[in-house]
Amino acid sequence: EVQLVESGGGLVQPGRSLRLSCTTSGFTFADYGLTWVRRAPGRGLEWVSFIRSTDYGKTTGYAASVKGRFTISRDDSKSTVYLQMNSLKTEDTALYYCARAKSNLDYHFSYGMDVWGQGTTVTVSS
Amino acid sequence: QSVLTQPPSASGTPGQRVTISCSGSSSNIGENTVNWYQVFPLTAPKLLLYSSDQRPSGVPDRFSGSKSGTSASLAISGLQSEDEGDYYCEAWDDSQSGLVFGGGTKLTVL
C-alpha cells in the first residue's frame, strides 16, 4: 500500500524555523515527484512547493508566497521528502499535506497528485 | 485571490446533475490539463479527475470533466448525499512555473 506520513508540525513563533518531513512507503520513491500543499484555516488549497524525481534532476519549484523562505529536499535513501520553513509568518499557519505525482513521467505534474498524506499542522503565533 | 476561478458554492438535489466551472488563462488551463480534487472535512484531498477528463481507478463514472480554451468544468450526475464536500481544480501554470489551484467550490446536496 502506498503511504505518505507527514510529521514535524507544531506551534512556532513568527520568525522561527520548522522542518516538516514526509515519510513514504509502498512505491519506488526515487521515481516520483512530490509536492507540499497547504490549507489555511477557512481557506482553500494552496500549492507550496514541488520536487521532481531523480530522473528530472530533483529540480524544485516554489509558490511566490514562500520563495526564499522555504526549501524542499528529498532523501531517496530514506524515501522521505522535507520542507524546511524559515522566517515563518502568521500567514503560514495551515495544515500541510505531502502529495505524490500520479505519474512517474510527469514533469509538470499534469496528471495530478494521486496519493496524499493526512497532513501536519503548523501554527505560527506569538 | 486564486489564479483559477471557481464559484464558491453549488447545490443540487439527489439525482440531479451539477456542474462546477473553473476559469483560468492561457498560461494555465489554456496550455495545460486540469485536475480536480474532492475534499471532505478532516480528510485528505482525493484526486477525482486528471488530465481534464480522466478518472482514476475507483472513481464512479458519475464524475466527468471537460476543458475548452481557458476553462474547464466538473460534472456530477446522479447527485448523491455523499458527494457533499469541497471541490478544487488545479493546473500547471507556465508563467509561474508551478501549480495553481482554484479557490474551491462547496457543494451542498439539498
Side-chain angles (χ1 to χ4, degrees):
Chain A
E1 182 190 4
V2 177
Q3 283 192 318
L4 283 68
V5 179
E6 303 92 337
S7 61
L11 173 63
V12 62
Q13 293 179 327
R16 303 298 290 267
S17 299
L18 208 57
R19 187 178 84 156
L20 305 183
S21 300
C22 172
T23 303
T24 76
S25 60
F27 65 102
T28 305
F29 180 81
D31 289 350
Y32 287 82
L34 295 127
T35 68
W36 287 95
V37 175
R38 67 186 180 185
R39 186 173 189 181
R43 306 195 64 168
L45 299 176
E46 178 189 16
W47 168 71
V48 174
S49 180
F50 69 76
I51 186 165
R52 294 190 176 100
S53 68
T54 302
D55 282 351
Y56 289 129
K58 302 182 183 181
T59 50
T60 61
Y62 301 92
S65 58
V66 306
K67 198 167 187 177
R69 301 187 298 122
F70 290 11
T71 302
I72 191 171
S73 62
R74 61 189 296 159
D75 184 337
D76 291 352
S77 69
K78 296 182 178 179
S79 298
T80 300
V81 61
Y82 304 97
L83 186 67
Q84 177 67 42
M85 305 185 295
N86 298 332
S87 303
L88 281 161
K89 304 176 180 180
T90 55
E91 51 263 43
D92 294 319
T93 294
L95 178 62
Y96 284 73
Y97 293 105
C98 170
R100 187 193 78 165
K102 184 181 187 302
S103 170
N104 61 345
L105 301 174
D106 194 357
Y107 187 81
H108 285 156
F109 296 84
S110 298
Y111 299 100
M113 284 81 76
D114 66 338
V115 184
W116 295 66
Q118 287 304 304
T120 187
T121 300
V122 173
T123 304
V124 185
S125 174
S126 54
Chain B
Q1 279 160 328
S2 303
V3 174
L4 304 181
T5 301
Q6 298 180 235
S9 62
S11 63
T13 57
Q16 269 191 332
R17 183 175 186 270
V18 170
T19 62
I20 296 172
S21 62
C22 175
S23 177
S25 68
S26 58
S27 66
N28 42 66
I29 296 178
E31 288 294 328
N32 301 290
T33 60
V34 179
N35 306 304
W36 290 89
Y37 299 88
Q38 180 186 57
V39 184
F40 297 127
L42 302 179
T43 65
K46 172 187 174 182
L47 181 63
L48 195 62
L49 296 171
Y50 66 95
S51 296
S52 303
D53 60 4
Q54 301 298 301
R55 286 185 304 276
S57 173
V59 174
D61 59 6
R62 302 188 296 106
F63 296 90
S64 62
S66 64
K67 190 190 94 163
S68 178
T70 59
S71 293
S73 63
L74 164 69
I76 309 172
S77 60
L79 197 63
Q80 300 179 3
S81 58
E82 55 260 40
D83 297 332
E84 189 165 281
D86 296 329
Y87 294 82
Y88 292 84
C89 58
E90 169 262 306
W92 176 266
D93 190 290
D94 292 329
S95 63
Q96 299 194 19
S97 295
L99 300 174
V100 290
F101 279 95
T105 298
K106 184 175 184 60
L107 175 64
T108 301
V109 181
L110 302 169

